[in-house]
Amino acid sequence: MSIIDIVIIVVYLLIIFSFGIFMRSNINTFSNFMIANQKLPLSLGVTSMLGTELGLITVMYNAQTGALQYFSAFHIGLFGFIVTLVVGLSGFVVTKLREMDIKSIPEFYAKRFSKKTRIIGAVLLVIGGMLNMGIFLNVGAKFIQAIFGFEANDQSLKIIMILLLFIVLVYTMMGGMLSVIVTDYFQFIILSVGLLFCVFYSIVHLGWNNIFESIEKISKEPYNPFISKGGSYVLWQIILAFVSAVVWPTAITRALTMDSSTTVKKQYIWSSISFLIRFMIPCFIGICAVVYYQNNENGMDSLILMPSFLLEILPIGLLGLVTAGMLSAFMSTHDSYLLCWSTIITNDIIEPLSGKKLASKLKINISRFIIFLLGLYILYWGL
């Protein structure tokens, strides 16, 4: 990692933080803090959806999946594309939720069933979401260790996790959903360009034919998931794709920020393409990393194959750009998730239990305090 790369990373993060500070002045209501006042246009809605779902954890995990399952892993992205496209074309669930003018799925539970169901539903969603999020910080720190070439020991991992969490907490607590959308937008641009260059340099470095020939020597069945993983695994991936598109609160929150139900359908249609790409490109880079480290005599962890590979092949400048994009992806996913779960706790658990309508300023402050507590939880879990 050269000085030029480090300067690119620092400048990029400073720009992101400047926007976060600027957005703080625009937060005057809880609706603004939670769902950006439901005024998002299509372009920002699509980039925000992808920015949330294309986090560093997603890139790392999909690269690892490619390294372990080879080309058969592409079926995960294919199902994500088909399910999201069907939801977009039909408007199944998501358009009705937007038309109801609600801020979260638990709010729908209250209208459809009762206040008690709203609270129970919110508790279940938050527990599931936070358990899902527990490993994010640890994986992000492992990426930093590998891409900067730091020694892979527990002490440096702990320091990196604390620094990463500090950055995320400060940024998320400052600006709410508007800050998140800004991060998503810049991350979408930087990471999209960066990943395309990663694919290009991987092919140039390894050779197109060599990639396939090498994988075919390693695995007897690198293409067919029904053979390599089995039908039950494939069915599970279809269910996961459906849950991610229709029920998962971080995705639904993006749908509820859009300016109309018609725009929501367009958002899902366009996002379906990005959902396909977010799986396939990291998977392919993971496959290339396996080819590069074919012997893997050091027994390298499959999770860090991808960042170690990029450190080896990317030229000066591009390495910094890709790393900046990955850090932005890390921030984007964390701030989206922390904001989502904290505002659901405030809006759908604390306020209903209080028995009265809380002032917007109070709800924003409560949410910020909960973001801090959730940050401590994921640090504890990561450690």
Side-chain angles (χ1 to χ4, degrees):
M1 185 71 71
S2 70
I3 295 296
I4 294 173
D5 293 315
I6 294 171
V7 169
I8 290 172
I9 294 166
V10 171
V11 169
Y12 179 82
L13 291 177
L14 287 175
I15 291 171
I16 290 291
F17 260 87
S18 299
F19 274 99
I21 294 169
F22 174 75
M23 288 298 172
R24 182 180 173 87
S25 61
N26 296 314
I27 302 299
N28 45 31
T29 66
F30 183 72
S31 177
N32 214 339
F33 185 77
M34 183 175 183
I35 54 173
N37 242 4
Q38 297 184 313
K39 291 182 178 179
L40 233 60
L42 179 61
S43 56
L44 283 178
V46 172
T47 53
S48 183
M49 176 77 85
L50 178 61
T52 301
E53 300 304 322
L54 184 61
L56 179 55
I57 180 75
T58 308
V59 175
M60 291 281 281
Y61 168 72
N62 288 330
Q64 184 186 40
T65 305
L68 297 174
Q69 298 180 29
Y70 313 120
F71 294 100
S72 67
F74 282 10
H75 77 280
I76 302 173
L78 179 62
F79 292 144
F81 163 71
I82 293 171
V83 170
T84 310
L85 181 62
V86 169
V87 171
L89 292 171
S90 65
F92 182 65
V93 175
V94 293
T95 55
K96 291 294 182 183
L97 287 175
R98 178 61 187 87
E99 288 168 2
M100 292 178 73
D101 200 28
I102 55 178
K103 294 190 286 293
S104 65
I105 290 177
E107 267 195 34
F108 162 74
Y109 295 155
K111 291 190 175 185
R112 177 66 178 81
F113 303 105
S114 65
K115 184 174 79 171
K116 184 186 291 186
T117 310
R118 175 185 186 178
I119 295 170
I120 293 171
V123 168
L124 292 174
L125 284 174
V126 169
I127 290 173
M130 290 313 302
L131 288 175
N132 168 262
M133 193 181 178
I135 199 67
F136 286 14
L137 188 61
N138 185 281
V139 173
K142 285 184 176 180
F143 171 82
I144 296 298
Q145 264 187 336
I147 203 76
F148 278 89
F150 294 148
E151 188 178 344
N153 59 56
D154 287 346
Q155 195 60 39
S156 69
L157 198 68
K158 291 173 183 178
I159 294 170
I160 294 167
M161 279 195 284
I162 292 169
L163 289 174
L164 288 175
L165 182 65
F166 175 77
I167 292 170
V168 167
L169 288 181
V170 171
Y171 188 79
T172 311
M173 292 167 71
M174 277 195 305
M177 182 57 78
L178 290 174
S179 292
V180 170
I181 290 165
V182 168
T183 316
D184 291 344
Y185 185 77
F186 282 103
Q187 176 216 330
F188 173 80
I189 296 168
I190 299 297
L191 197 54
S192 297
V193 173
L195 287 176
L196 288 174
F197 273 110
C198 289
V199 171
F200 172 76
Y201 275 96
S202 298
I203 295 170
V204 168
H205 197 87
L206 298 172
W208 180 254
N209 291 332
N210 179 53
I211 294 170
F212 290 88
E213 290 168 1
S214 299
I215 292 299
E216 286 168 1
K217 290 177 184 177
I218 296 170
S219 173
K220 294 180 179 178
E221 186 45 69
Y223 302 108
N224 191 336
F226 288 95
I227 296 175
S228 62
K229 297 299 290 183
S232 59
Y233 179 86
V234 175
L235 177 62
W236 174 237
Q237 292 302 328
I238 296 173
I239 295 170
L240 274 181
F242 180 81
V243 169
S244 297
V246 178
V247 183
W248 196 234
T250 52
I252 288 297
T253 302
R254 292 302 177 280
L256 298 178
T257 60
M258 303 306 292
D259 55 19
S260 70
S261 58
T262 304
T263 313
V264 169
K265 293 177 71 173
K266 293 177 182 177
Q267 178 193 35
Y268 270 76
I269 291 170
W270 282 105
S271 295
S272 65
I273 302 169
S274 60
F275 272 46
L276 174 68
I277 295 170
R278 76 174 178 135
F279 280 99
M280 292 185 69
I281 288 183
C283 271
F284 182 77
I285 297 172
I287 292 167
C288 292
V290 169
V291 174
Y292 186 82
Y293 295 108
Q294 271 188 66
N295 298 323
N296 197 13
E297 295 172 355
N298 298 325
M300 192 183 297
D301 182 357
S302 59
L303 190 63
I304 63 169
L305 278 176
M306 182 268 293
S308 300
F309 170 62
L310 295 182
L311 182 61
E312 294 281 347
I313 69 162
L314 292 182
I316 292 174
L318 184 58
L319 179 63
L321 187 71
V322 170
T323 305
M326 293 289 190
L327 281 171
S328 182
F330 174 87
M331 287 174 59
S332 181
T333 298
H334 274 76
D335 57 24
S336 297
Y337 275 59
L338 288 170
L339 184 67
C340 177
W341 306 128
S342 66
T343 50
I344 285 178
I345 291 171
T346 303
N347 190 63
D348 300 305
I349 299 176
I350 293 176
E351 187 174 58
L353 286 174
S354 72
K356 60 182 180 180
K357 189 169 180 62
L358 302 178
S360 274
K361 188 175 181 180
L362 177 60
K363 289 172 74 173
I364 290 172
N365 289 333
I366 292 172
S367 296
R368 284 174 172 154
F369 180 66
I370 294 171
I371 287 170
F372 176 74
L373 294 180
L374 294 178
L376 293 181
Y377 155 74
I378 62 173
L379 177 62
Y380 164 76
W381 191 269
L383 292 171

